[in-house]
Amino acid sequence: MQEPLGNPYQNPESTQSAQSAAGLGTDPFSPVTPVSVGGQGQSAPTNQSVQTYQLPFLAKVSRLAPIPGDPTNSRYGIVMRLKDVSQPQNGLGYIVRFADDPATGKQNNKQVQIIAWISKSLKVYPTTVPLTNDPSTNDVEGELHFDAWTDQKNLGAVRIQSNDGLNRTITIGELQLDFSGSGYSTGSLNGIATASSVDLGPYGPAATNSAAPAHATNTGSARHPLNSLLAAFWLAAAHFPKLRGEQLGMGAGRIVEIFQNMQNKPLADALDEIIWRGTTNSNTASPFERFAARQLIEAGAGQIREITAEHNLDVVQLDSTGQFWMRFNRNEITGLQRDIVLSVEGALNRLAAASRIAAKYDNGMGLVTTLTEAQDYRAGFDELHEWDTHTSFIQSRADARNSNLTVRGATAARGGMWDVMSRFVDICERLILPYRVEYRCDANPDTGEMVVNFTVPTSLMMPASVLTDSGWVGIREQRAAQAASYALRLAGIIAQAAFTAGTNITSLTVNGTLGSVTGAPVLSLAFTRTPFMMGTVPAFMAGQFNDPALDSDPAAVLQMLRPSAQVISFGPDRGLTPITALPIPQAILAHRVPLWRDDRELPDDLKALLGADFGRDLDVMYDGASIKGGEIFQIAEQNEDSPMSASLEIESALMGLQSEMPDLGERKPLYCEHPLMRLLVANLPDHTPQTRYVKAPDALYNSHIALARIHRDSGDLDGSLAQLQQALALAPTTAQPFVDESITYVDIAGDHAKGADVLTRGLAVAVMPGDVNFMYYRLAYSLWQTNNREAALACYAFMLGMGFHAQYEEAAEVEVRELMQEMGVDSLPDMDAVTHTLNKHGIPVAPLTSQTELLAKAAIRLVDAGFPLAADEAVWALGALSNDDRLGALRQSLRFGVLDEDAVLASERPAN
């Protein structure tokens, strides 16, 4: 069996030999015969009218060695000066062609034609006449140019500008310069071509890939004068293609540039462009482009346009793993459409694998020409057979620090529910797999039990062909068995991740769901820790699961896994069919009781922190009142033309609700707009460890808000404020009353100063990102109207910097541009300056540290105490505030566990 080309979890500093490429046969994706050296193919027209120049008697001419691809079979050189002709100051010389002698038809050693000039800024400008000025001083881009990397000034990309009318910049290679640090010298500076997508002949990079195209092999010295290297790049990538009548940059560039271009265009257009470059344009396509086109066509990329016409769909490349991720609403794109989307995602990940391998061979450039098509295929093939690599990576995480054990100063119990679940999420988020894995988990560390649901690919997502010595061969009939084999191998990896996440987990069930985490279960396997860790994991480590012979034999993979219990069914095509999963342990179901009827007692520290005695006391979603919260706003809407009628009806409802309220004794009624707001009571000024809260009916709070708005619309300032004070008394951890009060001051009294003061107080309460963003927007405008421009600009900068993308964002951008014009500034302040300005003006930097620290403390303690349903929204907010996808993924498991999602949602607000 061939060795894989690379480990996706490492960035090796050394290259390694690749396997030799197999012949591609007469496949329609194979390239046409390229133009060869010596003028075969299209000949360049002879142009006798081009002016020639005499070389001085003692002219210093740097003759260039022959470079492949010249249809005219000419000789070229670089001269620093010509007879009676100079060049712009500090130039690196003219690139010249030795002219033809009319008498003999052979090239003359004394007469030359100017074809380009090299500037001191390392740019090449085509020209047939001498230049008097350096075009780069006027910001004219060269046809070829060197662009140093931002972190290494002596190393950078060699790029050309396309001539297809789109002015695309295409990377064709990389140069390393001999650089002293004081600036570029002239022609004495040397360099090395470390990567190239065009054949530079003796100027090319040293060979690192024995099976790569010939231009990867350096037939001469690796170090050359810099102007000679730039001339070689320009001749091979620009001049010769133009002589052959070709567009510049075709079949060249970095793979990552193709990926970036794809993410900057409408998805369907970008995919069609990749397919066109590798099929319709296959005569000039690179091996990677032909490979990419095949993978996308077979994955069904042609149907993406129809899907994007109906739904929002785009793609991003994850920073964490380098894999592609299609972004879409999973409630809208379902069934066959979802399969196609994820099939294309899988194809893109095979391209990402090829990009990683190419970068190993060409100094990190990842050029489209570095690998042969066979090697591109091999990269994607290996990605499906790296189970030992995944196992080794998971094993390496066993002793790794859990970076989310402590969140905002709150530390979870080692080995507790938070520790185990967050460790499992961390491992899964780091896995570099060819297909997306969505997952949810649930655990009870006290009993050592854990259950994981994870997604498995459908047969449509598997590759449709393989590359053999005879060329590409279709394998569509094997895809169901291959999907089943992949799913079972993945089950082993998921099981290892779960056991690794918690050393106290001894009993595990893994359930594979088809296509999505809410899909039908198609496999359910139980494992016991010791037999799995001592028997199955070593088999993974030894590479036994890598064997391609297992790809179409899922039954053999199942036998190798050795589960302690199983529910699985194979169809006639050896694919997986729907099953009923193994039962969920009662110890896990115990903490999945809907919060509103969870009668379990809270630990003493949580009682004091949250002002609650039982799990049910933390619920804010279930509304058992005779009048529901939404009915109040319906009354207002139905009586929009008669505010008096609306007011009377709402006041009547309010009186009825108040009469229904039981005797609370020392308990306090509390309304929370969102569940996480229930966890913030410890920061209220009158909260004590003995304080207890009772959920106030939604309609009670909504009545005060609705009446306040009716009074506001009628111009009754005092009436509106009175109702808002009652709303705030019921909902002291909710930001909305502050927003309404601010609007009331502005709309009725035009008092932006008081409006700003209210919002400033409200920001000390706000935690939800939407509340924070909107309050800063309103505050910015009010501060602007009170001539506090500095603070206003800081507020605008803060809310725009959140990336919340609300409906009012466009209006905010218009306003801030006008404000900046008034202030005479050209740009928004950075976040450090924003924070300084907010502190200077006494404006909270929301959410306050005290709020987020309390939120983290409450959430972690609730999870460790076995109350995940009370913590899930708080964990989501903590993840959103810190841009931590792992907390967002953990939140899904906390809320739904491994239960049916629809059933969980229905249980939160049952019909009553």
Side-chain angles (χ1 to χ4, degrees), residues 612-648:
D613 293 317
F614 303 95
R616 63 176 182 269
D617 296 336
L618 299 176
D619 175 66
V620 303
M621 303 299 292
Y622 177 71
D623 190 1
S626 60
I627 301 175
K628 306 305 177 188
E631 295 179 42
I632 299 299
F633 293 127
Q634 289 177 3
I635 293 172
E637 291 173 3
Q638 292 167 359
N639 294 275
E640 186 176 2
D641 296 332
S642 179
M644 182 63 72
S645 297
S647 181
L648 290 173

Side-chain angles (χ1 to χ4, degrees), residues 363-380:
N363 204 41
M365 293 293 288
L367 298 172
V368 296
T369 54
T370 296
L371 302 181
T372 65
E373 189 171 1
Q375 289 177 313
D376 287 323
Y377 162 75
R378 179 72 196 198

Side-chain angles (χ1 to χ4, degrees), residues 216-237:
T217 302
N218 181 1
T219 57
S221 172
R223 192 177 305 275
H224 299 277
L226 181 59
N227 53 3
S228 296
L229 285 170
L230 291 171
F233 267 113
W234 179 77
L235 288 168

Side-chain angles (χ1 to χ4, degrees), residues 724-746:
L724 288 171
Q725 289 305 309
Q726 294 187 68
L728 184 58
L730 281 174
T733 62
T734 298
Q736 188 60 46
F738 294 98
V739 175
D740 270 81
E741 185 178 348
S742 174
I743 294 173
T744 296
Y745 276 118
V746 171

Side-chain angles (χ1 to χ4, degrees), residues 95-175:
I95 304 174
V96 298
R97 174 186 178 270
F98 288 93
D100 297 328
D101 187 331
T104 64
K106 298 181 179 180
Q107 287 185 286
N108 191 314
N109 289 329
K110 295 298 183 180
Q111 296 286 330
V112 296
Q113 297 168 340
I114 296 174
I115 57 176
W117 176 73
I118 308 173
S119 74
K120 64 178 181 180
S121 56
L122 308 186
K123 299 177 181 180
V124 179
Y125 296 92
T127 180
T128 58
V129 297
L131 300 180
T132 56
N133 297 306
D134 183 346
S136 65
T137 59
N138 295 321
D139 294 327
V140 177
E141 192 63 89
E143 188 170 64
L144 179 140
H145 44 96
F146 171 84
D147 298 325
W149 302 131
T150 56
D151 57 343
Q152 290 180 284
K153 296 302 182 182
N154 66 328
L155 189 68
V158 180
R159 297 183 170 121
I160 60 170
Q161 299 303 122
S162 69
N163 60 348
D164 54 7
L166 301 178
N167 195 32
R168 295 178 297 123
T169 300
I170 303 160
T171 302
I172 60 168
E174 185 185 52
L175 273 180

